[in-house]
Amino acid sequence: MFFLQLRNELWKLFGKKRTYIGFVMFLLAQNIIALVFKFTHASSPMKRMLESAGHAADPFISGLTIATIMLVPVAVFLLPLYVSLVGGDLVAKEAEDGTLRMILSRPISRGRLLAVKWLAGAIFGVVLCVALGVFGLAFAGLYFPWGGLFVWMPEQNIFGVFGANSGLWRYLAAHVMLTTEAVSIMALAFMFSCFNVKPAAATILGLSLVFVSFILEHIPYFADYRDWFFTYHLHLWQLVFADRAPWWRVGQSLSLLAGFNATFFAIGLAVFHTRDIKS
Amino acid sequence: MTKRFGTRVAVDELTLAVPRGEIFGLLGHNGAGKSTAIGMMLGQVWPTAGTVCVCGHDVQRQRRLALAKVGAIFETPACYDYLSGGRNLEIFCQYTAPVSRERLREVVDWVGLGTRIDSRVQTYSHGMRARLALAQALLPRPELLILDEPADGLDPEGMHELRQTILRLHAELGLTLLLSSHLLGEVEQICTRIAVLRQGRMVFEGPLAAAKQSRNWVRLVTDDFVAATQDLEAAGLIGGARDGRYVALTPGVATCAIARRLVESGRPVHELAREEQTLESFYLELMRAGGEEAAGRGDQHPSPLKSENRCPKSE
């Protein structure tokens, strides 16, 4: 029954046109970025940086490098927007449309209903990350040759140069880690969706908290306290591009994100459980 | 059960039993507490005090057992417009139990959706949406069907169709139906028993026939109505009068006794006829009077739940 109900949630989720906004925008953004790199001199600073570090530049101006460059802004700005949109809709939209009242006239418990919905939202987050990775490689591959991976992420003090195979594995690992960001932000918006608010409000509240955390994390004077900020742990996918990935830090962030997710779900469930569902 | 929203009391100490096999009408003005009461019956609204038992099980504590044999339809049929009717049915039904293709086809045919079941719901008319809502309620083979203001927004043909459907559900499937409405004409034509809510309090509960005959009203046309009613009241033949032409007979008094008394007093009687009370006039009287008296009079079948605050083993 649980899997049937989960399948139904996925039907509902992927039956809506707005669910696909994220996929379409990824296509658009990644194509634009790849085209700008292809038809301008935007890759020149990269070449200079590689050459000054003693590497031949051309093997690293590759589809893999461009796909990874595209990943950073999309993961920081677009991904939170689309997972938050879906997370904020999951309960609040059904309450607004009146279908929640139809569902809750059935013998399903509120806890189980939320678990099924949360899981559907998490699956959406994973699918979105997979699409992001596949689209990125596909579109960068259209305009650039296959080759090594060059990564420069000054915020994380990462300057990495990898062979094609090693680079591809890191690219895939980064997307696996990125799913934790997608699921966590979805879970935050989902928590607000369980409150008696409109779907747009749930999405905006979720995104607002992410932005507030991001702002706090980037105030230089708060550097000593950044472990406490939600977004600091969301960036763990960037760590796999380090020469020697700090696995202790990855583990720490993963466990904290698991805690954040459990807390968001527990708060959402507690609020939803006490709510009166009326027309 | 009682439900308060902040300081506002939406439902005030409502004790209600819906006997198996009845078409039970829950009446009341907008805001009387009908939908809140139904919300509590379905476990959607938490009672501030009291318990609700459906099919012998406490809705709050044994939700799965209590609602397994219940179907519900609400005033505005809410569906997933972007999915087909069939997909909607599968989705809603699987919150209760898996449904077979054969059962789905059987119910779709019963409600008359036919080949349109594979079309997207956004292409459905209001009537088709209502049929889809009925189909989703019938799929888990319910014993109790709860309809919250189902006639809202329907045109006369739609209302006629709904009335016929409710009567079919009762006759062919043997369902118990609980219907909330403020459309008295509809209730009068289909319900066998009613309860009336006024500002959250139940002011009448009993068979529809009892409501319509709760007072023996007689239409009296005479030269001086006021003097005639004073005379009849003094003789103990009537218990009240209204609208300058109706008198309520004291129980046990026949119309001929009124006629005899008036003739003997030398008052001309131009017209004297028994008046069957309509549900509307009964309802309006309850709303005007506050209902205390009518509640005492109408509650002829005391609820089995009144004296104990727990679910009975059966019913």
Side-chain angles (χ1 to χ4, degrees):
Chain A
M1 275 293 283
F2 186 85
F3 290 104
L4 280 178
Q5 289 162 355
L6 177 61
R7 185 195 64 180
N8 292 345
E9 284 304 324
L10 293 172
W11 270 342
K12 286 193 263 177
L13 184 56
F14 287 98
K16 278 189 281 195
K17 283 180 186 160
R18 62 193 299 175
T19 303
Y20 297 97
I21 296 174
F23 297 93
V24 174
M25 291 311 293
F26 285 174
L27 281 173
L28 200 65
Q30 289 175 322
N31 264 301
I32 291 171
I33 295 170
L35 284 170
V36 170
F37 269 111
K38 178 72 180 173
F39 296 108
T40 67
H41 299 291
S43 55
S44 303
M46 236 188 319
K47 284 181 184 169
R48 281 198 296 275
M49 218 180 299
L50 279 163
E51 283 163 358
S52 64
H55 298 281
D58 285 344
F60 295 100
I61 308 299
S62 65
L64 201 52
T65 299
I66 301 300
T68 306
I69 290 170
M70 294 194 290
L71 179 61
V72 177
V74 173
V76 171
F77 296 106
L78 291 185
L79 186 72
L81 180 63
Y82 301 124
V83 291
S84 190
L85 186 69
V86 166
D89 258 14
L90 278 168
V91 179
K93 187 80 173 86
E94 295 233 38
E96 186 181 61
D97 291 347
T99 46
L100 188 61
R101 203 173 169 213
M102 301 274 279
I103 294 170
L104 287 180
S105 65
R106 300 282 179 179
I108 187 170
S109 72
R110 295 188 187 203
R112 184 176 174 130
L113 178 65
L114 285 198
V116 168
K117 283 186 169 295
W118 187 92
L119 206 51
I123 289 172
F124 169 80
V126 172
V127 170
L128 199 61
C129 289
V130 170
L132 180 62
V134 171
F135 291 169
L137 265 190
F139 295 124
L142 279 179
Y143 307 108
F144 293 91
W146 181 246
L149 170 65
F150 165 59
V151 185
W152 181 52
M153 292 176 176
E155 261 188 44
Q156 306 287 348
N157 293 322
I158 291 172
F159 184 98
V161 177
F162 309 98
N165 284 344
S166 163
L168 180 63
W169 278 114
R170 285 176 190 258
Y171 181 80
L172 294 178
H175 282 81
V176 171
M177 294 297 175
L178 190 61
T179 59
T180 61
E181 173 181 324
V183 171
S184 301
I185 295 173
M186 185 285 301
L188 178 62
F190 180 81
M191 175 186 79
F192 288 118
S193 188
C194 297
F195 289 56
N196 191 10
V197 297
K198 297 277 181 197
T203 299
I204 292 167
L205 280 168
L207 275 180
S208 301
L209 277 194
V210 171
F211 290 153
V212 167
S213 170
F214 187 80
I215 291 165
L216 292 173
E217 185 197 341
H218 285 82
I219 293 176
Y221 305 105
F222 294 173
D224 290 347
Y225 309 105
R226 61 187 180 182
D227 284 9
W228 293 91
F229 303 131
F230 178 52
T231 43
Y232 175 73
H233 302 288
L234 295 181
H235 305 324
L236 69 97
W237 61 272
Q238 297 176 355
L239 303 176
V240 300
F241 291 113
D243 248 351
R244 297 182 64 181
W247 293 113
W248 63 269
R249 162 74 212 284
V250 172
Q252 183 193 47
S253 287
L254 277 177
S255 52
L256 278 165
L257 285 180
F260 272 117
N261 274 277
T263 307
F264 295 153
F265 186 82
I267 293 171
L269 177 61
V271 171
F272 188 65
H273 194 72
T274 54
R275 261 180 74 182
D276 291 321
I277 308 298
K278 294 194 75 195
S279 54
Chain B
M1 55 196 175
T2 294
K3 179 64 186 179
R4 290 190 195 90
F5 294 107
T7 54
R8 187 174 70 84
V9 181
V11 173
D12 194 5
E13 295 182 359
L14 172 65
T15 302
L16 185 67
V18 179
R20 187 184 289 270
E22 298 271 4
I23 304 180
F24 195 104
L26 192 57
L27 302 182
H29 53 86
N30 287 332
K34 304 185 296 294
S35 290
T36 303
I38 284 179
M40 287 192 277
M41 292 173 203
L42 291 170
Q44 299 168 339
V45 174
W46 299 103
T48 309
T51 55
V52 184
C53 297
V54 177
C55 302
H57 301 284
D58 186 326
V59 172
Q60 270 74 48
R61 291 181 184 159
Q62 300 166 292
R63 183 182 175 82
R64 174 156 283 281
L65 290 169
L67 298 181
K69 293 285 178 188
V70 176
I73 302 173
F74 304 105
E75 60 271 38
T76 314
C79 305
Y80 303 102
D81 287 1
Y82 49 90
L83 298 175
S84 70
R87 190 71 87 209
N88 268 274
L89 292 182
E90 273 188 72
I91 287 173
F92 283 122
C93 191
Q94 280 164 355
Y95 288 116
T96 302
V99 59
S100 68
R101 287 266 153 218
E102 294 72 33
R103 175 66 184 156
L104 201 91
R105 178 50 56 191
E106 184 189 348
V107 172
V108 166
D109 289 342
W110 199 93
V111 299
L113 268 176
T115 53
R116 292 299 308 278
I117 197 65
D118 294 323
S119 305
R120 285 190 183 192
V121 175
Q122 63 199 16
T123 65
Y124 283 16
S125 66
H126 189 87
M128 289 172 72
R129 281 166 176 267
R131 286 187 215 175
L132 185 67
L134 177 63
Q136 65 81 27
L138 292 180
L139 268 173
R141 300 180 193 277
E143 291 173 4
L144 169 66
L145 191 59
I146 296 177
L147 302 103
D148 188 7
E149 308 276 9
D152 263 19
L154 292 181
D155 57 19
E157 286 103 327
M159 284 170 74
H160 174 78
E161 188 182 321
L162 175 74
R163 196 185 313 133
Q164 296 308 314
T165 305
I166 289 172
L167 293 172
R168 269 182 75 200
L169 288 168
H170 188 244
E172 292 178 20
L173 305 180
L175 297 187
T176 304
L177 289 115
L178 172 64
L179 166 80
S180 95
S181 182
H182 52 245
L183 300 175
L184 302 176
E186 289 302 304
V187 170
E188 193 165 12
Q189 289 182 64
I190 53 180
C191 290
T192 52
R193 196 176 179 89
I194 62 165
V196 182
L197 296 184
R198 179 176 170 273
Q199 292 175 343
R201 290 191 75 89
M202 189 169 72
V203 291
F204 177 84
E205 195 273 320
L208 183 70
K212 291 169 75 173
Q213 294 168 3
S214 65
R215 278 200 169 194
N216 288 324
W217 288 103
V218 168
R219 190 167 68 252
L220 170 63
V221 181
T222 180
D223 286 349
D224 187 347
F225 183 80
V226 176
T229 51
Q230 283 171 351
D231 184 19
L232 291 169
E233 269 185 325
L237 296 174
I238 63 168
R242 65 175 169 88
D243 300 340
R245 57 182 180 147
Y246 293 107
V247 291
L249 301 191
T250 303
V253 173
T255 320
C256 60
I258 303 289
R260 188 182 305 118
R261 174 75 188 182
L262 291 171
V263 170
E264 283 172 1
S265 310
R267 299 181 192 283
V269 179
H270 303 300
E271 191 178 330
L272 187 64
R274 186 171 284 276
E275 176 84 3
E276 190 188 55
Q277 194 171 22
T278 63
L279 181 58
E280 184 179 73
S281 60
F282 172 73
Y283 176 84
L284 292 175
E285 186 189 346
L286 281 179
M287 291 300 120
R288 276 196 294 260
E292 291 85 359
E293 187 190 343
R297 204 173 49 239
D299 193 2
Q300 297 166 348
H301 300 271
S303 159
L305 304 182
K306 256 187 174 166
S307 57
E308 42 187 69
N309 195 20
R310 61 182 173 79
C311 289
K313 289 290 180 196
S314 60
E315 187 161 17

